[in-house]
Amino acid sequence: MMVAEAKEMEVLTISALQHVAYCPRQFALIHVEQVWEENFFTAHGQVLHQRVDAGAAEQRGNVRSERAVSVYSTKLGLSGKLDLLEVDVSGENTRYFPVEYKRGKPKVEDWDRIQLCAQAMCLEEMRGIRITEGAMWYWQERKRQSVQIDQTLRDATVSAIKLAREILLSGRTPSPVKEKSRCKACSLNELCVPDAIRKDNSANYVEQMFHQGVHA
Amino acid sequence: MKKLLNTLYVTRQETYVHKERDTIVINSAGEKLAQFPALTISNILCFGQVSVSPPMMGYCGENGIGLVFYTEYGRFLARMIGKQTGNVLLRRTQYRLADDPEKANAIARVMVGAKIANARTVLMREIRNHGEHANISRAVEQLGYSLKSCQFSQSVPQTMGIEGDAAATYFSVFNGLIRGSRFQFNGRIRRPATDPVNALLSFIYSLITQECVSALMGVGLDPYVGFLHQDRPGRPSLALDLLEEFRASWADRFVLTLLNRRQLSPQAFVTEASGAVRLTDDTRKQVLVAFQERKQEEVVHPYLQEKVPYGLLPHCQALLLARHLRGDMEFYTPYLIK
Ligand code: SF4
């Protein structure tokens, strides 16, 4: 199914998957409505990525590290960049190990791991390999967290891709997320006005306005 | 909420506005008059003989800074528009609704309703603060009926008619809101104004209209395609739609404050040979300073229930209109005063 669709479909950027996983409405505001504030992307990670991008490939023992590696998948209709790809040639088969850099702390939720998984799936398609593990590097904690690229995560990733496509196709903006804590941390809050929309009181508001007149 | 940035009013004649790195510089006769960090400015309003360098224009276009030109006397001339930003889907929705008579009227009558409700509130406040007055009470009652018929208006022309009647009712008692005998208001006269009160009203409406244009463009709407006001080349119809709810609530009350606090004397205006009345240079400057101060004052937004400075109200309303057009909210929620 994905194969046929991806051909006519615009290629999704992998980084957009974290938006849809975080909040489908945020994804729509950024990618459909394009109402993001200029500084949205700068505020979110660009700075960190510059640092990561700067490094060239380096070799340590049997492990070669490549930075800012471009990946794509025609099957999934995805393209993006990997922060770091470690290629281990010590074993019988070459092992590929993707690493994604994040500011902040490890997240409980899936959205960062989905991005990593999407990268892994692109690599699998490009190299004809299977990737079982990758890692997140969290800047604030300065340590790696291993991520299993298992079926559950793969399913979640494919769902996120499907949801993103549905939103792009329909051009409709979903309702705000239930988790208000996400809105607090979301820099689109001001343009999204989640509270005004969660409880749409507009009918009542307008009714009251017109109602003033009768009690003149 | 978004941050309220400054508006730069350039009223001095024979001046040159240009960019030096990240600052906006104003020169006169080769001398530097003033310099501002570009990041703190959201609008540059030029009155009369003011020239602007092309790089400055480009910077405004790229960064969404409104660059507007007026005659020396404050009549709107032109606005510079950079490359189109925002979302084409939103604009398409706007055009589709504007073309659909029923849907256009659904928005138009809410906007006119807000205009009438606010005008009515201004009059009721007058009664509360200064005692019963037969004419004003009658006007309040009549506006109540207008408001009710507006709710059930069937078409945009009908809504327009209701709006016209309501405006006539309101302005028929407006003179009663001006204290003292220094200024007389005998009905609304546009282009050109032939008395100081009308000259002031026109000037403030024009300023707020431009604030509305900036706000609409900022949220990706097309300020030239309206629901209530029909398209006419060069007319910012949607901005004029948005202005309706700010007329009595913001503009008129501001003008009344200026007059009733005796901040302006009749000498603050000049009558030209044609009979047209305009503000003197000093008066215009004084009014702009007061207008800018008003923009900093905070009010609680009646729908968002959030404290916002007056100057951000056009932005809030543009945002709420966009959210309504996108289908997030069933109705457009205009700005209403208590
Ligand atoms: S403010 Fe909340 S609902 Fe709106 S985009 Fe952000 S996270 Fe989503």
Side-chain angles (χ1 to χ4, degrees):
Chain A
M1 174 210 83
M2 280 286 179
V3 188
E5 272 182 20
K7 278 217 180 85
E8 317 144 19
M9 224 154 255
E10 268 179 67
V11 174
L12 270 179
T13 52
I14 291 175
S15 55
L17 293 179
Q18 69 182 334
H19 302 144
V20 84
Y22 185 79
C23 167
R25 182 174 173 83
Q26 186 194 72
F27 172 84
L29 290 175
I30 297 171
H31 300 278
V32 181
E33 298 197 25
Q34 312 194 331
V35 297
W36 70 84
E37 292 179 300
E38 285 306 326
N39 57 12
F40 183 83
F41 287 108
T42 1
H44 287 251
Q46 209 98 311
V47 185
L48 174 63
H49 280 112
Q50 272 169 11
R51 200 161 14 189
V52 179
D53 281 352
E58 51 181 83
Q59 182 98 29
R60 242 191 245 159
N62 286 323
V63 180
R64 196 176 72 241
S65 302
E66 287 183 30
R67 288 168 201 280
V69 182
S70 295
V71 292
Y72 62 87
S73 156
T74 37
K75 254 200 265 178
L76 300 168
L78 283 182
S79 86
K81 252 187 192 179
L82 251 107
D83 289 339
L84 171 65
L85 179 61
E86 290 179 352
V87 187
D88 183 347
V89 291
S90 60
E92 205 168 293
N93 295 315
T94 311
R95 218 176 117 254
Y96 292 84
F97 193 84
V99 183
E100 170 73 8
Y101 283 70
K102 287 288 172 199
R103 298 192 312 169
K105 286 185 265 186
K107 318 269 195 310
V108 209
E109 312 283 343
D110 259 351
W111 50 79
D112 287 348
R113 287 193 287 271
I114 281 176
Q115 215 181 329
L116 184 75
C117 178
Q119 294 166 354
M121 287 164 86
C122 287
L123 269 175
E124 289 178 338
E125 188 183 313
M126 290 167 80
R127 285 268 166 241
I129 48 162
R130 186 83 180 161
I131 295 173
T132 53
E133 195 186 347
M136 308 288 317
W137 166 265
Y138 286 100
W139 206 255
Q140 208 169 313
E141 304 226 316
R142 306 203 170 246
K143 67 174 178 217
R144 269 190 187 195
Q145 190 186 59
S146 159
V147 175
Q148 298 304 310
I149 313 288
D150 56 16
Q151 196 53 44
T152 320
L153 185 56
R154 285 169 193 270
D155 290 346
T157 306
V158 171
S159 299
I161 296 169
K162 271 174 80 178
L163 178 58
R165 290 221 180 285
E166 274 163 26
I167 293 172
L168 282 179
L169 261 182
S170 73
R172 237 176 271 133
T173 304
S175 306
V177 281
K178 283 193 216 78
E179 300 86 347
K180 290 199 179 178
S181 56
R182 289 193 196 178
C183 298
K184 282 216 186 77
C186 173
S187 60
L188 289 183
N189 196 305
E190 177 242 311
L191 287 159
C192 167
V193 283
D195 291 334
I197 284 147
R198 266 197 203 95
K199 41 167 176 42
D200 178 5
N201 197 26
S202 63
N204 193 17
Y205 182 84
V206 168
E207 173 71 34
Q208 278 191 352
M209 173 183 89
F210 282 122
H211 206 66
Q212 291 178 15
V214 274
H215 296 299
Chain B
M1 253 311 144
K2 192 185 161 103
K3 230 172 77 200
L4 179 64
L5 298 171
N6 294 309
T7 297
L8 191 59
Y9 301 99
V10 188
T11 52
R12 174 127 161 203
Q13 299 305 290
E14 311 290 341
T15 46
Y16 178 59
V17 183
H18 65 115
K19 225 188 118 228
E20 265 180 27
R21 296 196 194 180
D22 295 321
T23 64
I24 299 171
V25 177
I26 301 174
N27 276 6
S28 176
E31 222 180 288
K32 197 180 276 186
L33 286 183
Q35 189 163 12
F36 308 89
L39 281 175
T40 59
I41 305 291
S42 65
N43 278 295
I44 304 176
L45 272 50
C46 307
F47 292 85
Q49 294 298 324
V50 177
S51 49
V52 179
S53 76
M56 185 71 246
M57 292 186 187
Y59 183 84
C60 288
E62 260 167 36
N63 294 283
I65 298 174
L67 179 58
V68 192
F69 296 91
Y70 292 86
T71 64
E72 202 185 336
Y73 311 132
R75 187 168 63 81
F76 172 77
L77 285 176
R79 158 184 281 271
M80 205 222 40
I81 297 175
K83 82 173 180 293
Q84 182 79 268
T85 54
N87 162 30
V88 65
L89 294 178
L90 177 63
R91 280 196 296 277
R92 263 185 192 279
T93 312
Q94 179 190 349
Y95 301 152
R96 247 194 316 266
L97 295 193
D99 277 341
D100 181 327
E102 220 165 280
K103 293 198 168 125
N105 188 46
I107 298 172
R109 70 189 160 83
V110 171
M111 290 172 151
V112 170
K115 173 187 183 160
I116 300 173
N118 285 338
R120 193 169 160 274
T121 309
V122 167
L123 297 187
M124 289 198 309
R125 236 190 236 184
E126 174 71 16
I127 294 173
R128 208 172 341 126
N129 296 342
H130 299 279
E132 200 64 36
H133 187 291
N135 286 343
I136 297 181
S137 299
R138 219 174 302 127
V140 167
E141 195 181 353
Q142 224 165 316
L143 289 178
Y145 292 129
S146 298
L147 192 54
K148 207 62 201 161
S149 43
C150 194
Q151 181 175 14
F152 301 110
S153 162
Q154 296 295 316
S155 66
V156 172
Q158 197 184 339
T159 305
M160 271 288 200
I162 295 166
E163 188 268 326
D165 289 347
T169 303
Y170 167 73
F171 278 125
S172 74
V173 294
F174 192 74
N175 192 43
L177 310 187
I178 302 169
R179 318 257 144 248
S181 53
R182 297 196 302 171
F183 293 102
Q184 277 295 316
F185 177 82
N186 299 311
R188 178 80 184 115
I189 300 156
R190 302 169 188 84
R191 262 167 290 170
T194 49
D195 63 84
V197 181
N198 271 297
L200 260 180
L201 286 173
S202 293
F203 182 46
I204 301 305
Y205 292 154
S206 159
L207 287 180
I208 300 180
T209 305
Q210 291 313 314
E211 302 268 337
C212 291
V213 172
S214 300
L216 290 165
M217 294 203 319
V219 303
L221 287 166
D222 184 339
Y224 289 85
V225 176
F227 300 105
L228 174 70
H229 291 86
Q230 302 303 296
D231 297 355
R232 197 189 289 165
R235 176 163 85 171
S237 299
L238 188 62
L240 293 174
D241 287 0
L242 204 53
L243 175 69
E244 296 295 0
E245 63 204 74
F246 295 130
R247 284 183 188 266
S249 66
W250 179 359
D252 300 355
R253 288 199 300 170
F254 174 72
V255 166
L256 286 171
T257 308
L258 285 178
L259 298 176
N260 291 342
R261 288 210 186 130
R262 299 193 149 239
Q263 273 164 313
L264 297 175
S265 71
Q267 286 72 48
F269 301 85
V270 235
T271 309
E272 290 174 350
S274 65
V277 170
R278 62 176 173 86
L279 288 68
T280 66
D281 293 1
D282 286 343
T283 311
R284 196 176 327 103
K285 214 174 286 173
Q286 198 188 337
V287 170
L288 288 173
V289 169
F291 186 71
Q292 191 62 18
E293 277 166 8
R294 184 81 223 245
K295 277 167 65 181
Q296 318 281 343
E297 277 171 36
E298 288 192 327
V299 280
V300 175
H301 190 282
Y303 189 74
L304 296 171
Q305 292 296 331
E306 221 180 294
K307 245 193 196 174
V308 289
Y310 248 91
L312 270 191
L313 287 176
H315 168 76
C316 293
Q317 293 312 125
L319 197 63
L320 288 167
L321 180 59
R323 297 302 357 151
H324 166 64
L325 295 179
R326 297 288 313 176
D328 278 338
M329 295 157 66
E330 196 183 346
F331 287 92
Y332 168 59
T333 48
Y335 176 69
L336 297 172
I337 44 167
K338 284 227 178 74

